Amino acid sequence: MERKVKHLTEMVEQHKQGNSNGIYAVCSAHPLVLEAAIRYARTQQTPLLIEATSNQVDQFGGYTGMTPADFRGFVCQLADTLDFPQSQLILGGDHLGPNRWQNLPAAEAMLNADALIKSYVAAGFKKIHLDCSMSCEGDPVPLTDDIVAERAARLAKIAEETCREQFGESDLVYVIGTEVPVPGGAHEALTELAVTTPDAARATLEAHRHAFEKQGLDAIWPRIIALVVQPGVEFDHTHIIDYQPQKAVTLSHMVEAFDTLVFEAHSTDYQTPHALRQLVKDHFAILKVGPALTFALREALFSLAAIEEELLPAKACSDLRHVLENVMLDHPEYWQSHYHGDGNTRRLARGYSYSDRVRYYWPDSQIDDAFARLVRNLADEPIPLPLISQYLPLQYVKVREADLSASPRELIIDHIQDILQQYHAACQGDNA
């Protein structure tokens, strides 16, 4: 088994021994977010788990334009550039299944899912989240546990075969199950959220165990390291549902009966540091974070754009804010079905929503050009300290203490790392 896979199995083993440790997964394809994560992990001398989701990266390119092999190459090259050992880098695939093809009949969607799994495993992704919970055209809504598990087992068999063909052995680890609501933040306003019941979690496990046995996959059961459940955390555009441990007590106790299994918690973005630590203690030992990181990126860029407007005449500015807004209005497909209300409400959501649909637009050439101009404009002369204090007060303290360069790029990276630090601290367990 590769050393990088052992990072995960050993984490689970230590957690099951009462160490209260965990690991966080960075779910983003943005170069600055990934650079921030790699640099932070290098500083802490810890393994780093980076995950691509099935809508970001697939065999056709996803919304990033990258196949799994492209994404792996990009991340590995970045790690090499930043002197981060690839042996410490773990790549995972998130929500792998027919998610991208729900508008197709199930038979056709699953053929695409077969190819998706194959492309991820062949590219060297080692942590595989099997998620066939979404209904396709003609399917019942919702799907039964048995249908979900049967489709997941089909993909697991392809994953095992592909890994053996490509690498001579199968050392994949798996995550099964899904959270409710859907991945990436809720579409509608939230007021309350149901925690997964222990019975529902057991039913998911039992259905998958039975389906795996039917496919002759009994031997891989110890490599199923996590079950995705809903611990009662979520966010929508302006609200966060905070973790309430008392509501998850019975669910938390349920997983203690399984020797090699922990919970994986999705949509933990924007939880407080205390809540993150409590989640890990309560056996939600794999914490997924994505939108909160690109939200922090956006915060830093908006702050730098405001500084730029204070320092330079309008004609010399990057006009990043307006360029971004115009591109989002011209290409509304990534936010239109998520943001509702009057014109002003939607305008605010486009810029500031916790669900951060902005993240889909950063690769746009116009926005990328504006970003490059912003960084150039602010790199020419030192940024005045009072403006850093005004717009990036957390970074100001570090600049004043000579722990951080006042260059625009370093300010952005550090602002993202403030979020990563909270996740790192939550996962330290007895090492905290």
Side-chain angles (χ1 to χ4, degrees):
M1 186 177 287
E2 269 196 62
R3 176 64 202 159
K4 57 182 67 179
V5 178
K6 284 187 177 179
H7 291 315
L8 293 174
T9 55
E10 287 173 359
M11 179 278 292
V12 173
E13 185 180 334
Q14 289 170 14
H15 185 94
K16 301 305 285 189
Q17 291 171 357
N19 193 38
S20 296
N21 61 308
I23 192 169
Y24 62 90
V26 173
C27 304
S28 178
H30 194 286
L32 280 173
V33 170
L34 294 176
E35 179 179 342
I38 291 170
R39 286 171 57 177
Y40 186 79
R42 184 188 67 196
T43 301
Q44 300 300 321
Q45 297 185 315
T46 56
L48 177 61
L49 173 57
I50 294 175
E51 300 207 25
T53 58
S54 57
N55 62 339
Q56 286 175 329
V57 171
D58 67 20
Q59 67 269 40
F60 306 113
Y63 76 75
T64 63
M66 285 189 279
T67 65
D70 294 334
F71 185 80
R72 182 182 185 278
F74 169 65
V75 173
C76 289
Q77 184 177 27
L78 189 57
D80 289 345
T81 301
L82 297 169
D83 295 322
F84 185 76
Q86 288 190 25
S87 61
Q88 294 286 91
L89 184 64
I90 312 156
L91 292 180
D94 197 24
H95 293 288
L96 300 187
N99 182 40
R100 290 273 284 175
W101 305 285
Q102 294 176 57
N103 61 323
L104 299 176
E108 193 176 343
M110 283 302 295
L111 286 175
N112 281 331
D114 293 346
L116 175 75
I117 283 282
K118 193 164 188 173
S119 65
Y120 266 83
V121 174
F125 287 69
K126 295 299 182 184
K127 178 180 176 287
I128 303 297
H129 175 206
L130 301 169
D131 182 9
C132 296
S133 62
M134 55 292 295
S135 296
C136 300
E137 185 186 304
D139 275 340
V141 180
L143 294 179
T144 65
D145 280 342
D146 289 341
I147 294 174
V148 172
E150 182 184 308
R151 292 177 182 176
R154 164 179 166 168
L155 297 183
K157 188 169 187 178
I158 291 170
E160 291 291 294
E161 291 169 353
T162 303
C163 198
R164 283 194 295 270
E165 288 168 9
Q166 199 75 19
F167 304 104
E169 62 171 345
S170 182
D171 57 354
L172 303 172
V173 294
Y174 294 95
V175 176
I176 57 176
T178 195
E179 81 280 22
V180 179
V182 294
H187 290 197
E188 307 297 340
L190 292 171
T191 55
E192 196 173 347
L193 201 62
V195 174
T196 302
T197 66
D199 285 348
R202 288 190 200 96
T204 296
L205 284 170
E206 196 51 44
H208 280 75
R209 185 189 292 275
H210 181 63
F212 278 44
E213 284 175 357
K214 282 175 66 177
Q215 288 282 6
L217 298 172
D218 313 51
I220 74 170
W221 195 255
R223 288 191 273 123
I224 298 174
I225 61 168
L227 174 67
V228 179
V229 291
Q230 176 51 265
V233 301
E234 188 53 270
F235 56 92
D236 61 17
H237 310 312
T238 57
H239 300 95
I240 301 159
I241 294 185
D242 291 313
Y243 180 54
Q244 299 179 53
Q246 69 277 11
K247 291 188 175 182
V249 169
T250 56
L251 178 62
S252 175
H253 288 335
M254 167 258 164
V255 81
E256 292 172 358
F258 298 87
D259 292 339
T260 59
L261 193 75
V262 295
F263 288 134
E264 177 168 287
H266 293 212
S267 299
T268 67
D269 308 73
Y270 313 112
Q271 293 291 308
T272 66
H274 175 74
L276 292 173
R277 183 74 196 99
Q278 192 62 49
L279 278 162
V280 175
K281 285 183 177 179
D282 290 345
H283 312 309
F284 302 95
I286 303 175
L287 302 177
K288 307 295 278 292
V289 57
L293 299 174
T294 46
F295 185 90
L297 166 72
R298 193 270 314 151
E299 281 184 324
L301 288 173
F302 278 21
S303 295
L304 291 173
I307 291 172
E308 180 192 37
E309 289 175 3
E310 295 286 355
L311 293 175
L312 299 174
K315 64 181 180 182
C317 287
S318 64
D319 208 22
L320 176 71
R321 294 282 305 277
H322 292 105
V323 172
L324 176 62
E325 173 71 354
N326 289 337
V327 170
M328 291 183 78
L329 289 172
D330 289 343
H331 303 279
E333 58 268 22
Y334 291 121
W335 62 265
Q336 201 166 40
S337 63
H338 290 72
Y339 299 156
H340 307 289
D342 62 23
N344 193 52
T345 301
R346 284 181 290 165
R347 178 189 63 81
L348 284 170
R350 283 193 295 273
Y352 298 101
S353 168
Y354 281 134
S355 58
D356 190 48
R357 307 303 293 179
V358 173
R359 70 185 186 273
Y360 293 89
Y361 292 88
W362 292 122
D364 179 89
S365 59
Q366 293 179 67
I367 297 171
D368 194 48
D369 289 345
F371 160 75
R373 187 174 183 183
L374 170 67
V375 172
R376 266 198 321 273
N377 281 343
L378 293 179
D380 287 343
E381 299 288 340
I383 301 173
L385 287 173
L387 289 178
I388 298 177
S389 178
Q390 175 66 42
Y391 291 103
L392 289 163
L394 297 178
Q395 281 60 54
Y396 170 76
V397 174
K398 299 173 192 176
V399 171
R400 286 285 294 116
E401 292 176 344
D403 292 330
L404 177 66
S405 163
S407 72
R409 190 179 186 87
E410 291 303 304
L411 292 169
I412 295 166
I413 294 287
D414 189 77
H415 193 64
I416 297 167
Q417 288 178 340
D418 281 345
I419 306 299
L420 294 166
Q421 188 278 329
Q422 296 174 19
Y423 280 83
H424 172 76
C427 292
Q428 286 307 288
D430 294 346
N431 298 318

